[in-house]
Amino acid sequence: MIRSRFFAAAFMLTAALSLAVGTNAQTVAPAKAAAKTGAKSPARPAPQLDAKAMDLLRAMGASLTAAKSMAFTAVATYESPSSVGPSLAYATTSEVLLQRPDRLRVITLGDGPPAEYYYDGKTLTAFAPAENLVAVAPAPPTIDAMLKQAFDSAAIYFPFADIVGADPFGTLTEGLTKAFYIGQSKVVGGTTTEMVAIASDSLFMQIWIGADDKLPRKMRAVFRGDPLQLRHQVELSNWKLDPVIAAEAFASMNAANAKKIAFAAPKPPAAAAAKKAAKPAAKAQ
């Protein structure tokens, strides 16, 4: 679950920084003690992977990869801590257009500044229409490699990343410790879906898969390393498989005329505040 780990990292950066010292104290010291005594770590239990759940995940992956192009709508909901206790929820809507193996367009709106992303197999363009700013960077020749580079270089993550790569089944099932079938639902996506749950050392995720078309309709995740156990969800609708796509669909004239800035990961608020506070002190000297 490579991109699922990206997803976790994007939302757990602050928690990871605050817990790093405690985590090291708890894990490094026992490891050293075990090394001195020659003690072996307990054997890892075998994964418990229900056959029906795995078959549904495999069928979902096959439905996605059989399409050379696709379009869908992704509505993502993220929880965030509030000052009164219960979490707040924020949502984004993304219109996604994809052509394998090296074209992706994402137009995102809702609960924040709009953003547009264009990948044409050679470059990745990130465009902020409200500010009229654009960042363009060379990109590797596959969607999978581009997604990794975008996250590593600029903390750009798409909540549907698990399903748009070359091998959605492999991505979702890597490192699984448990998978089981829950049952059917007739509520999600306006169709009958099969519900599957998967778990690894890093996350627990529930997936709703179309009973007939085997397309993902909803994904809901909680990350084990998050002390607040915030939930992250994406609903997928308006599926179009193998639509005819114009060559110019993966570029933007508006982005081409915007002010250019460099690709960079967003700075944590604390770091930005410290930098701002340091400026008057420097002038005083």
Side-chain angles (χ1 to χ4, degrees):
M1 273 174 280
I2 297 173
R3 280 172 291 283
S4 293
R5 286 197 288 270
F6 290 170
F7 195 9
F11 289 99
M12 291 164 55
L13 178 59
T14 303
L17 291 173
S18 63
L19 294 175
V21 174
T23 301
N24 287 339
Q26 294 172 25
T27 59
V28 176
K32 289 181 178 179
K36 288 180 180 179
T37 61
K40 294 183 178 180
S41 300
R44 186 182 181 86
Q48 300 175 18
L49 307 179
D50 174 69
K52 184 168 185 177
M54 297 301 287
D55 286 345
L56 283 166
L57 292 169
R58 190 174 290 105
M60 183 184 78
S63 293
L64 291 167
T65 55
K68 299 303 180 185
S69 62
M70 65 178 69
F72 60 90
T73 301
V75 178
T77 304
Y78 313 100
E79 290 188 344
S80 179
S82 75
S83 60
V84 295
S87 299
L88 301 173
Y90 297 91
T92 63
T93 298
S94 296
E95 296 298 334
V96 183
L97 185 65
L98 175 150
Q99 184 172 293
R100 300 185 188 281
D102 58 1
R103 301 285 192 278
L104 181 66
R105 184 184 76 192
V106 182
I107 310 296
T108 300
L109 304 168
D111 285 10
E116 301 178 12
Y117 301 91
Y118 302 88
Y119 167 63
D120 62 4
K122 296 180 180 179
T123 61
L124 173 63
T125 299
F127 175 47
E131 296 84 3
N132 199 35
L133 298 174
V134 64
V136 182
T142 66
I143 292 172
D144 293 81
M146 179 277 293
L147 291 170
K148 183 178 187 308
Q149 178 178 292
F151 181 84
D152 289 344
S153 64
I156 294 172
Y157 179 81
F158 302 116
F160 45 82
D162 281 334
I163 62 168
V164 298
D167 184 13
F169 173 73
T171 297
L172 285 166
T173 58
E174 180 186 353
L176 285 190
T177 56
K178 191 163 188 176
F180 58 93
Y181 176 70
I182 302 170
Q184 285 193 338
S185 169
K186 297 183 183 297
V187 176
V188 173
T191 187
T192 301
T193 57
E194 308 279 5
M195 295 182 289
V196 170
I198 59 176
S200 71
D201 290 341
S202 61
L203 92 167
F204 173 82
M205 180 185 289
Q206 186 173 344
I207 307 171
W208 287 254
I209 302 169
D212 295 325
D213 58 22
K214 300 300 185 289
L215 292 172
R217 301 290 176 167
K218 184 176 176 180
M219 304 170 75
R220 184 177 176 88
V222 176
F223 299 97
R224 297 187 187 277
D226 179 3
L228 300 178
Q229 293 291 280
L230 300 176
R231 290 161 290 189
H232 312 290
Q233 174 178 299
V234 60
E235 297 184 56
L236 307 154
S237 61
N238 300 326
W239 283 98
K240 295 179 180 64
L241 301 184
D242 288 317
V244 177
I245 302 174
E248 61 270 19
F250 300 97
S252 167
M253 288 299 296
N254 291 331
N257 297 321
K259 180 181 178 182
K260 291 181 172 57
I261 59 173
F263 260 102
K267 294 180 180 179
K275 185 176 180 181
K276 185 177 180 180
K279 285 183 178 180
K283 288 181 181 178
Q285 292 175 357

